[in-house]
Structures are given as C-alpha cells and as structure tokens.
Amino acid sequence: VDYALYNFPNPVTTDLTRNPSGRSIGTTISFKIPDRSHVIVDIYNLKGQRVKRLFDAKVFPGEFNAFWNGRDDQNNEVSTGFYMYRLMIDGRVVDTGKCTFIK
C-alpha cells in the first residue's frame, strides 16, 4: 500500500516559553494518498471518543497536511494527554498514529 501518515511536532505544547515565536501552536498531520479517494482524518482521545474532525474531502493522489491546534470540535482546548489520529480512505481505516498534547 502506497500511503503514509505522520505528524510533527510531537509532543504538541501550549507552553509559550517553548514556542516564543508566537506561531500557531499545534501539530501538522501529513498523509499521502495513492489514488483518488474520499479521505477522513479524525482525532480521538484514549477513551475512543472522537475529539476533532480535521479533514473530510475527496482528493486526487498526492500529499496533504491537516493542522490540529489542540482544540476539539467545539473549539475547547483539549486536556494534556495522549491522542490518536486516524486515517480513513473510502470508509476503511488504513492507519493510525499517536501524539502527545502538553499544556
């Protein structure tokens, strides 16, 4: 299978002393799709509850990025902890990854 899924930076922090640039604090989840597909990228907490839908679109083959700012679907900042991100292609889960969010 010719796809990829990863994120950077990891861990994700909201501590401005670690990010004095003032840029958006979060992580970029990158993925590569080999064929025209419907792609969904979601963030889940360790209880298996969906926290945020980052990406939901039909795409052509290529590389894509989805930025997560550590907020849920209601725009609340998430708690410190581990989060999973899941890549679905045409309704099938094809890969998952893990990131750590630190306040």
Side-chain angles (χ1 to χ4, degrees):
V1 177
D2 190 21
Y3 61 86
L5 177 68
Y6 57 92
N7 79 296
F8 184 82
N10 192 8
V12 182
T13 180
T14 60
D15 182 350
L16 289 178
T17 62
R18 295 184 196 173
N19 183 18
S21 69
R23 288 182 295 201
S24 293
I25 298 168
T27 189
T28 299
I29 298 172
S30 301
F31 52 97
K32 181 180 173 185
I33 305 299
D35 302 305
R36 185 173 180 182
S37 308
H38 181 213
V39 176
I40 296 174
V41 177
D42 287 325
I43 304 287
Y44 289 86
N45 63 23
L46 288 183
K47 295 179 183 177
Q49 300 163 320
R50 191 180 89 196
V51 172
K52 179 80 173 176
R53 175 150 291 170
L54 291 182
F55 193 92
D56 185 354
K58 287 191 178 241
V59 297
F60 287 97
E63 295 185 26
F64 301 87
N65 296 311
F67 183 76
W68 183 43
N69 62 358
R71 296 191 172 270
D72 64 16
D73 280 331
Q74 289 75 43
N75 204 32
N76 299 310
E77 190 174 88
V78 300
S79 302
T80 293
F82 296 105
Y83 292 85
M84 303 296 294
Y85 49 93
R86 180 178 78 176
L87 174 65
M88 288 184 66
I89 299 175
D90 293 330
R92 285 186 357 256
V93 175
V94 296
D95 206 356
T96 60
K98 179 174 70 171
C99 66
T100 304
F101 187 84
I102 302 170
K103 285 188 177 186

